Each structure stands twice: as structure tokens, then as C-alpha cells.
């Protein structure tokens, strides 16, 4: 099933996007800050902001998602 039609898969993709964007922003802050106004790269900058400011909640969501995937299989 596609991630667009499965809520759990869509949530997993969103969490991975936020975590990856925050990690890349930590490695390349100049590149991410320079491209924050574009349509495609602006999404990554916004996800990086969410990941940096809400990191305890994002990490809890990742742990809950990992446990639910482990129990579901």
C-alpha cells in the first residue's frame, strides 16, 4: 500500500523527513539557511526548524512509532 493512503506510513515518512532535515541542518547550516525561501528547499528548512525546536516530542514520537512497528509485525 502506498504511504499516501496508509496513515501510519505517512506519519513515519513525516517523522523521518523531520529528523533527516534537522540532522542535515546541523551538518550544513549555511546551505539550509541560504535556501529557506525556495518552494522545494523551504520545506526542508521548515522541517529542520520543527525538529530542532520540538526535538523531545519528535524523539518520543519516533520511539512510539518504532515500538508500534515492532509490535505490529
Amino acid at each position: 500500500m502506498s504511504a499516501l493512503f496508509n496513515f501510519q506510513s505517512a506519519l513515519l515518512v513525516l517523522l523521518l523527513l523531520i529528523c533527516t532535515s534537522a540532522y542535515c541542518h546541523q551538518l550544513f547550516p549555511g546551505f539550509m539557511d541560504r535556501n529557506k525561501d525556495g518552494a522545494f528547499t523551504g520545506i526542508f528548512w521548515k522541517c529542520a526548524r520543527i525538529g530542532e525546536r520540538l526535538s523531545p516530542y519528535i524523539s518520543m514520537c519516533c520511539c512510539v512509532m518504532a515500538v508500534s512497528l515492532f509490535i505490529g509485525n
Side-chain angles (χ1 to χ4, degrees):
M1 184 179 283
S2 176
L4 296 175
F5 300 115
N6 189 353
F7 180 71
Q8 187 175 7
S9 296
L11 188 61
L12 181 65
V13 169
L14 181 66
L15 284 172
L16 289 174
L17 178 68
I18 290 171
C19 292
T20 304
S21 297
Y23 181 72
C24 289
H25 187 262
Q26 181 182 6
L27 291 178
F28 309 110
F31 178 74
M32 296 284 279
D33 290 337
R34 189 173 51 232
N35 294 322
K36 67 182 177 182
D37 294 329
F40 183 69
T41 56
I43 293 171
F44 295 116
W45 182 81
K46 290 174 187 173
C47 288
R49 262 320 133 195
I50 292 170
E52 290 170 355
R53 294 185 181 177
L54 299 175
S55 61
Y57 299 110
I58 296 295
S59 64
M60 283 190 303
C61 288
C62 287
C63 292
V64 167
M65 185 64 70
V67 169
S68 70
L69 289 173
F70 180 72
I71 291 173
N73 290 332

